[in-house]
Amino acid sequence: MTGGVAAYKSVELARRLRDAEASVTVIMTEASARFITPLSLETASQNRVYRSLFDDPMAHIALPSAADLLLVAPATANSIAKFANGIADDLLSTCFLAATGVRTLIAPAMNRRMYENPAFRRNLDSLRESGVLQVGPSQGFLACGEEGIGRMAEVPEIIEAAAAALTPKDLAGEKVLITAGPTREYIDPVRFISNRSSGKMGFALARAARNRGAEVTLVTGPTCLTPPPGVLCVSVETSDDMLFEVQNRAGIDATILVMAAAVADFGPECRADSKIDKTDLLTLTLKKTKDIVATIGGGGRRPFIVGFAAETGQNPDRAEQKMRSKGMDMIVFNDVTEPGSGFDTDTNRVVLIDRAGRHALELMSKDDVADAVFDRLREIKA
Ligand code: C5P
């Protein structure tokens, strides 16, 4: 931690990192201890807090050697200048200099004019060129009362960047196209047919693939979720829009297609141009939507295809049949009626089905399901 107003967020950050099962050791600069007490960080990290080069004469070597990640949050302009120029005049800057070979992530926080100052930009560019990772800053209200760029990234974004920094890049070189969320099939300009999909599974897959080094495009129907940073996000509404985007993108250069979207299976036969009077809308004639995955699965040069089958009831045979008939390589089955599974939950219990067999997994977070899908995919592709 270095000395900026955003230091108050670092208490929460230490706490959330522990929740994510990280072991956390905090190094505070003298300036940071003017904003937040070391006792708060000791409590949040459940660990000794280091402040001076002279607390423990070998700490500047021992601490970086024991770390998987060196995370500086907040990182002030002064600390970044020191890191970029190899200045080692306190415990944190000395640890930074000794942390060669340790993944390093900084979360800059400062006034917008300081952030845009060419002297600062040179320091930041030089750190980036030497492989230091960066999260934030974002735009918004700054502590000084001004508005602009310079706010430290929020805690969940920093945790996500830390997880990405720590994940082995076993999907490097892959171009992964993922679909997520529901689609909307319009009856008229104000009414549509849709389903309960929240998009959480597709977004978790996008984060997992990005963390593992893939280039990720996420084609998503309407959701309340924030697009994951570092992912190309394409918003669509109808199944026809989704078909267009998937065909264009999968056809060009995707190496993996993951169809996690709950594409509406039926839509109105025709869409009215103006709002239908309620007295006129007594019968709705439906037609089947085009099957997106089947059009890709039936093609010649095609990506590795993973589909999803959300069923009501334990029906993995039906899911396997879908995998074969739609030309997929793998399908993820889940029973949406099971507690903790399916729509709008953060967890899922799935069966991974491919041409070699089935793997029933325990109830787990959607993030863990996403990693399990890519683990299995790598086994099959190998
Ligand atoms: O709806 P169904 O259970 O058949 O969906 C299985 C898979 O097919 C899912 O991966 C879904 O994204 C995909 N699908 C599609 N186009 C549709 C309907 C479903 O690509 N129109």
Side-chain angles (χ1 to χ4, degrees):
M1 280 175 66
T2 67
V5 180
Y8 75 91
K9 292 185 191 170
S10 302
V11 180
E12 171 81 1
L13 177 61
R15 187 61 216 275
R16 296 292 154 236
L17 284 165
R18 277 190 51 80
D19 289 348
E21 294 172 27
S23 131
V24 182
T25 306
V26 180
I27 302 169
M28 295 180 81
T29 61
E30 277 316 302
S32 74
R34 290 187 177 242
F35 288 92
I36 298 289
T37 69
L39 185 61
S40 305
L41 272 307
E42 203 173 299
T43 313
S45 68
Q46 293 284 296
N47 215 342
R48 175 177 169 188
V49 169
Y50 290 79
R51 291 176 63 185
S52 160
L53 264 171
F54 310 104
D55 286 347
D56 177 340
M58 278 304 137
H60 64 291
I61 304 298
L63 292 177
S65 305
D68 295 308
L69 179 73
L70 174 56
L71 164 62
V72 187
T76 57
N78 179 51
S79 58
I80 288 170
K82 288 204 257 179
F83 301 156
N85 291 284
I87 295 171
D89 66 351
D90 61 8
L91 180 59
L92 177 60
S93 54
T94 312
C95 283
F96 200 96
L97 197 61
T100 50
V102 180
R103 267 159 293 200
T104 309
L105 173 66
I106 57 171
M110 68 202 66
N111 168 273
R112 70 177 167 87
R113 277 170 287 146
M114 291 167 71
Y115 190 74
E116 281 156 8
N117 186 301
F120 170 75
R121 304 302 298 191
R122 279 195 296 277
N123 290 332
L124 190 63
D125 289 346
S126 132
L127 282 185
R128 280 212 214 102
E129 277 159 26
S130 54
V132 172
L133 302 165
Q134 181 184 338
V135 55
S138 60
Q139 297 270 349
F141 284 105
L142 307 173
C144 52
E146 293 181 15
E147 211 184 326
I149 185 136
R151 281 176 64 87
M152 185 168 90
E154 295 303 326
V155 169
E157 205 187 325
I158 299 176
I159 301 266
E160 212 175 304
L166 288 166
T167 308
K169 306 296 173 219
D170 58 1
L171 290 179
E174 300 285 4
K175 294 188 174 174
V176 185
L177 179 61
I178 297 169
T179 64
T183 63
R184 290 176 174 174
E185 311 307 318
Y186 279 91
I187 299 166
D188 65 23
V190 297
R191 305 181 181 99
F192 55 78
I193 296 174
S194 192
N195 58 63
R196 288 181 53 207
S197 170
S198 63
K200 285 182 177 175
M201 192 63 242
F203 277 59
L205 286 154
R207 284 194 299 272
R210 175 208 56 195
N211 289 355
R212 295 169 76 145
E215 192 181 314
V216 184
T217 303
L218 178 65
V219 176
T220 174
T223 73
C224 300
L225 306 175
T226 313
V231 165
L232 174 64
C233 208
V234 181
S235 294
V236 296
E237 274 201 274
T238 66
S239 60
D240 278 343
D241 297 342
M242 190 173 273
L243 174 69
F244 177 80
E245 293 296 342
V246 170
Q247 272 183 334
N248 275 340
R249 293 164 194 280
I252 298 167
D253 63 359
T255 56
I256 298 168
L257 168 65
V258 186
M259 281 293 303
V263 185
D265 291 314
F266 304 100
E269 197 166 51
C270 47
R271 171 181 176 164
D273 291 335
S274 52
K275 188 179 169 188
I276 302 171
D277 191 279
K278 63 183 162 197
T279 51
D280 296 338
L281 188 69
L282 299 175
T283 307
L284 194 59
T285 310
L286 300 178
K287 66 166 195 247
K288 269 190 165 175
T289 56
K290 287 196 196 87
D291 200 297
I292 302 172
V293 74
T295 65
I296 308 291
R301 201 180 135 265
R302 65 172 189 78
F304 186 98
I305 302 176
V306 183
F308 273 72
E311 306 281 350
T312 50
Q314 276 299 320
N315 227 336
D317 290 344
R318 212 166 102 103
E320 182 167 347
Q321 222 177 322
K322 280 183 189 173
M323 175 186 82
R324 292 180 187 279
S325 67
K326 297 192 190 198
M328 302 174 189
D329 301 285
M330 182 174 161
I331 196 160
V332 184
F333 161 81
N334 73 297
D335 176 359
V336 295
T337 60
E338 242 189 61
S341 264
F343 299 119
D344 215 11
T345 60
D346 290 319
T347 52
N348 218 349
R349 198 162 82 88
V350 303
V351 183
L352 305 182
I353 304 170
D354 53 66
R355 283 159 205 276
R358 294 180 185 181
H359 295 81
L361 308 183
E362 299 298 311
L363 182 71
M364 57 178 76
S365 71
K366 286 186 174 170
D367 287 327
D368 288 342
V369 171
D371 272 318
V373 168
F374 289 118
D375 288 345
R376 181 68 193 136
L377 175 151
R378 287 196 70 242
E379 281 169 19
I380 302 170
K381 272 192 100 189

